[in-house]
Amino acid sequence: MDIDQLKELADLYKSELLQRVVPFWLEKSQDEEYGGYFTCLDRKGNVFDTDKFIWLQCREVWLFAMLYNKVEKNEEWLNSAIQGAEFLKKHGHDGQYNWYFSLDRTGKPLVEPYNIFSYTFAAMAFGQLSLATGNDEYATIAKKTFDIILSKVDNPKGKWNKIHPGTRNMKNFALPMILCNLALEIEHLLDENYLLKTMETCIHEVMDVFYRPDLGGIIVENVGADGNLVDCFEGRQVTPGHAIEAMWFIMDLGKRLNRPELIEKAKDTALTMLDYGWDKEFGGLYYFMDRNGCPPQQLEWDQKLWWVHIETLISMLKGYQLTGDKRCMEWFKKVHEYTWTHFRDDEYAEWYGYLNRRGEVLLPLKGGKWKGCFHVPRGMYQCWTTLEEIVKANDSK
């Protein structure tokens, strides 16, 4: 791909972000009566459910604060982030920064704080907003929440854990994966030694525990508490999108820590997972797989999801940018083509989230209980800026 093509792609991702995706969430998701955001939006952006899911509320705060910090000092973006954060500050936790899973529209708790991702995205949101505003209270909320997350690493669900203790204790990939990203997100709030120790722990978990050279270099979703493989539904689960997304987090950490060998390993792992998870018949990446080829327990295993493909685009671009591996660019072109022709809604703004295996739209919603203002805009931003950096590096040669 030549420089002109890369410049065109950078412009494509930038315009999609700033002209179609961001305006959609600004216009359609703000709850001007009670605060916070509507995330359950149909194809045209009409609200079809008013419950508020904490991790999606936090993600939208983070997104608008990040855009304000990194793209332009747009007061409308900042005001959106602040109103969401104030709603969360008032209603999102139990007073001790134990973050609920969901609230009703007015802010009354619906589901208890069983989900660790309410905490991780709260820390991200308030950390990013503290950078935008200089507000010490936001910084304190981020730090206190981060400390709680680290205290919960061994049992994220706490008293809400349904697993009977002592029978089949397992560790899940999602938390160390998210912590790889979160550590960089709130770097400005943490003591340097504490930060570096956290980074090293996360890298070890992702690249030494869940990464399995004994299985051809794939990443598994769950291992036993001792780090060994377990032969059960959860123990056989592979989630290609999670693994590929985690690899761009690891690449970012490798860059931050000046560890080219870590970047190289992450890039190779992303390529392995992409080849492993690609549907050779219909195209696109599977949602869930079984490492032994057994039937997965998830009935939605063969669906094609928006976030899986968008995160893959980011990983491939970063892999190419940081290592020059041409395989990354070849895969980027292939995934870009699939993603833009299947997930983008050409008539109405924002993107579809859920396709069936054949790539047909399964649910025409633009937001719901799991899809909000996050993966599409973050992906557009990451691809746009990474492509611009690649172009700039080539121009300076």
Side-chain angles (χ1 to χ4, degrees):
M1 200 175 283
D2 63 31
I3 291 299
D4 287 338
Q5 289 173 307
L6 292 174
K7 284 179 179 173
E8 280 179 26
L9 278 171
D11 290 342
L12 178 69
Y13 281 94
K14 179 181 180 179
S15 64
E16 186 71 13
L17 172 69
L18 298 180
Q19 294 172 28
R20 294 185 89 242
V21 177
V22 170
F24 174 89
W25 292 102
L26 266 181
E27 180 187 336
K28 306 292 188 182
S29 74
Q30 316 297 312
D31 185 346
E32 292 175 4
E33 186 175 353
Y34 290 102
Y37 314 104
F38 301 115
T39 61
C40 296
L41 304 172
D42 69 12
R43 186 185 178 197
K44 296 180 182 179
N46 300 310
V47 178
F48 66 84
D49 195 286
T50 60
D51 286 354
K52 292 172 179 171
F53 306 96
I54 295 297
W55 70 325
L56 296 184
Q57 300 289 308
C58 293
R59 283 173 159 194
E60 190 154 347
V61 171
W62 175 85
L63 193 281
F64 279 109
M66 182 278 290
L67 291 175
Y68 179 83
N69 287 330
K70 296 187 176 179
V71 177
E72 66 173 276
K73 300 295 186 231
N74 182 319
E75 290 300 317
E76 197 177 6
W77 296 348
L78 183 61
N79 290 337
S80 174
I82 290 172
Q83 75 83 4
E86 289 298 317
F87 177 82
L88 285 165
K89 192 176 81 175
K90 186 174 180 182
H91 301 291
H93 57 89
D94 65 357
Q96 304 297 316
Y97 301 114
N98 293 304
W99 296 87
Y100 298 114
F101 178 75
S102 62
L103 315 170
D104 71 7
R105 183 185 175 186
T106 67
K108 293 188 181 71
L110 290 173
V111 178
E112 294 285 3
Y114 82 93
N115 192 306
I116 195 66
F117 301 109
S118 295
Y119 295 73
T120 58
F121 288 106
M124 267 179 71
F126 284 95
Q128 191 69 224
L129 192 54
S130 75
L131 269 180
T133 61
N135 184 315
D136 288 338
E137 186 183 13
Y138 294 157
T140 299
I141 292 171
K143 283 190 284 191
K144 286 185 174 178
T145 301
F146 188 67
D147 287 339
I148 295 171
I149 294 165
L150 293 186
S151 75
K152 287 173 162 285
V153 164
D154 292 332
N155 185 12
K157 293 186 179 181
K159 64 184 178 182
W160 291 283
N161 196 335
K162 294 184 288 189
I163 303 300
H164 187 79
T167 305
R168 187 190 284 158
N169 294 330
M170 301 188 78
K171 295 199 294 187
N172 180 265
F173 177 68
L175 184 53
M177 162 202 161
I178 290 290
L179 286 174
C180 288
N181 184 232
L182 181 54
L184 283 174
E185 277 289 329
I186 62 170
E187 179 174 357
H188 61 288
L189 301 175
L190 301 178
D191 170 78
E192 177 78 4
N193 290 332
Y194 183 53
L195 173 73
L196 291 174
K197 184 182 172 190
T198 303
M199 287 177 175
E200 290 301 335
T201 301
C202 296
I203 292 168
H204 165 71
E205 285 287 307
V206 170
M207 302 307 287
D208 298 327
V209 178
F210 291 93
Y211 168 80
R212 309 300 302 199
D214 50 332
L215 297 176
I218 65 169
I219 285 176
V220 296
E221 193 71 11
N222 299 285
V223 294
D226 57 4
N228 290 323
L229 295 172
V230 181
D231 189 7
C232 64
F233 276 123
E234 292 80 11
R236 294 192 302 269
Q237 180 180 327
V238 177
T239 314
H242 253 175
I244 296 168
E245 179 182 7
M247 289 308 100
W248 75 258
F249 297 165
I250 294 290
M251 286 185 235
D252 278 357
L253 283 172
K255 186 178 176 183
R256 163 69 175 77
L257 298 169
N258 193 24
R259 289 176 55 183
E261 79 292 344
L262 182 62
I263 295 171
E264 195 71 27
K265 184 177 179 182
K267 176 265 297 178
D268 286 342
T269 305
L271 287 167
T272 297
M273 288 304 308
L274 182 43
D275 184 62
Y276 182 90
W278 190 258
D279 183 341
K280 310 299 190 287
E281 185 175 355
F282 293 103
L285 283 149
Y286 291 114
Y287 190 11
F288 296 112
M289 300 175 77
D290 184 292
R291 61 181 170 82
N292 287 349
C294 301
Q297 64 175 323
Q298 297 91 353
L299 303 182
E300 68 275 25
W301 69 274
D302 65 347
Q303 287 179 22
K304 309 293 166 63
L305 268 67
W306 83 108
W307 68 266
V308 173
H309 295 77
I310 288 169
E311 298 302 326
T312 299
L313 291 171
I314 300 170
S315 272
M316 289 300 99
L317 279 181
K318 284 183 182 277
Y320 178 74
Q321 177 195 23
L322 295 170
T323 71
D325 192 325
K326 290 183 171 58
R327 293 175 298 168
C328 292
M329 186 52 75
E330 290 304 311
W331 265 114
F332 171 78
K333 287 189 283 189
K334 188 173 182 176
V335 179
H336 168 89
E337 177 66 22
Y338 181 91
T339 305
W340 282 76
T341 56
H342 289 81
F343 289 101
R344 187 180 190 269
D345 184 345
D346 292 334
E347 192 172 350
Y348 299 102
E350 245 286 343
W351 288 30
Y352 300 121
Y354 303 90
L355 314 176
N356 65 20
R357 185 182 173 191
R358 293 181 296 279
E360 299 157 342
V361 176
L362 192 61
L363 294 169
L365 58 78
K366 297 298 174 57
K369 184 176 179 178
W370 309 109
K371 182 180 188 292
C373 178
F374 187 67
H375 285 287
V376 175
R378 182 178 74 166
M380 297 297 122
Y381 170 79
Q382 285 285 344
C383 290
W384 156 37
T385 54
T386 305
L387 282 160
E388 281 197 343
E389 287 168 10
I390 294 168
V391 168
K392 197 178 295 182
N394 273 276
D395 284 346
S396 64
K397 282 181 181 176

